[in-house]
Amino acid sequence: EVQLVESGGGLAPPGGSRRLTCAASGFTFGPYWMSWVRQAPGKGLEWVANINEDASEKYYVDSAKGRFTLSRDNVKNLLYLHMNSLRAEDTAVYYCAKGRTPIYAWGQGTLVTVS
Amino acid sequence: QTVVTQEPSFSVSPGGTVTLTCGLSSGSVSTTYYPSWYQQTPGQAPRTLIYNTSIPSSGIPDRFSGSILGNKAALTITGAQADDESDYYCVLYLGSGISVFGTGTRVTVL
């Protein structure tokens, strides 16, 4: 069974940093694109970033460019999202996702609050 | 900036049929946008329903189907059940690594 478990959420001050981690299991992690999707309180889903199999391609939503960095460890089956210069509008549940388009599986999410 | 549009809400009777659509603020949706559909109930993570326009994800009931209708992607629920009451989101791949979620449709079954 595919499992994606996010961690690293919590409270961060405006301008602060946070690193989210996604631990993947139940599938062969290396060959898959991986993504982060977020959902602000009471709002819809928003694609944030994705990364290809060997981390040679990374794409970000415009609001995250220059502030967020995506990386992965294909040996430990981990996906990371480093978030810097956090803003109030980054407050959201962040979901780790297997795939790009489509997304094949979702984690349960981790809440980041910028305040 | 490209906006992916969906109806804000729909109401359907139990056993009824409802079709949700997914359009572009400018232009037509085709299979080359690889439309996919996701269901989310409040407080839960999303679930993948349909990908590549019409392919059902594993374990998805066959009352959910996807298609292109006119210039939009569409998700049809045939024989709606109470537990289909959820938010539904489409995603379009715009190329160059960029995907965009639609605005979401809340479906009420009553």
Side-chain angles (χ1 to χ4, degrees):
Chain A
E1 179 192 2
V2 173
Q3 282 202 317
L4 300 168
V5 179
E6 302 93 339
S7 61
L11 182 63
S17 299
R18 205 81 194 173
R19 186 183 80 165
L20 305 184
T21 301
C22 171
S25 61
F27 68 103
T28 305
F29 181 72
Y32 283 93
W33 281 79
M34 296 294 294
S35 301
W36 288 95
V37 175
R38 67 184 177 185
Q39 186 169 37
K43 303 295 185 182
L45 298 169
E46 180 185 37
W47 168 77
V48 176
N50 57 42
I51 185 170
N52 75 335
E53 300 87 343
D54 63 2
S56 60
E57 296 182 53
K58 303 174 190 180
Y59 301 96
Y60 302 89
V61 67
D62 284 349
S63 61
K65 289 178 182 175
R67 301 189 301 126
F68 292 7
T69 302
L70 201 44
S71 61
R72 64 190 294 165
D73 184 330
N74 286 347
V75 174
K76 296 181 179 178
N77 293 349
L78 295 173
L79 176 71
Y80 301 104
L81 183 66
H82 300 256
M83 303 186 294
N84 297 318
S85 303
L86 284 165
R87 306 167 180 166
E89 53 265 37
D90 295 319
T91 294
V93 173
Y94 285 74
Y95 294 102
C96 171
K98 173 189 173 186
R100 180 177 66 169
T101 299
I103 290 171
Y104 297 103
W106 300 76
Q108 286 302 305
T110 186
L111 175 63
V112 174
T113 302
V114 182
S115 177
Chain B
Q1 183 179 350
T2 301
V3 177
V4 178
T5 59
Q6 297 182 245
E7 299 86 358
S9 63
F10 261 119
S11 182
V12 60
S13 300
T17 297
V18 63
T19 296
L20 317 182
T21 67
C22 175
L24 280 169
S25 53
S26 58
S28 298
V29 177
S30 66
T31 57
T32 60
Y33 287 88
Y34 301 99
S36 51
W37 292 89
Y38 305 87
Q39 178 192 47
Q40 187 183 36
T41 53
Q44 299 294 315
R47 175 173 75 147
T48 303
L49 296 176
I50 300 286
Y51 62 94
N52 289 4
T53 305
S54 59
I55 301 174
S57 188
S58 176
I60 299 304
D62 60 8
R63 65 179 181 274
F64 293 95
S65 62
S67 63
I68 298 290
L69 285 181
N71 62 351
K72 296 182 179 182
L75 174 72
T76 299
I77 308 173
T78 304
Q81 299 183 2
D83 60 3
D84 296 336
E85 190 160 291
S86 299
D87 295 324
Y88 292 84
Y89 295 91
C90 67
V91 171
L92 300 180
Y93 179 64
L94 302 187
S96 300
I98 306 300
S99 298
V100 179
F101 278 85
T103 49
T105 298
R106 175 153 293 181
V107 172
T108 303
V109 180
L110 49 73

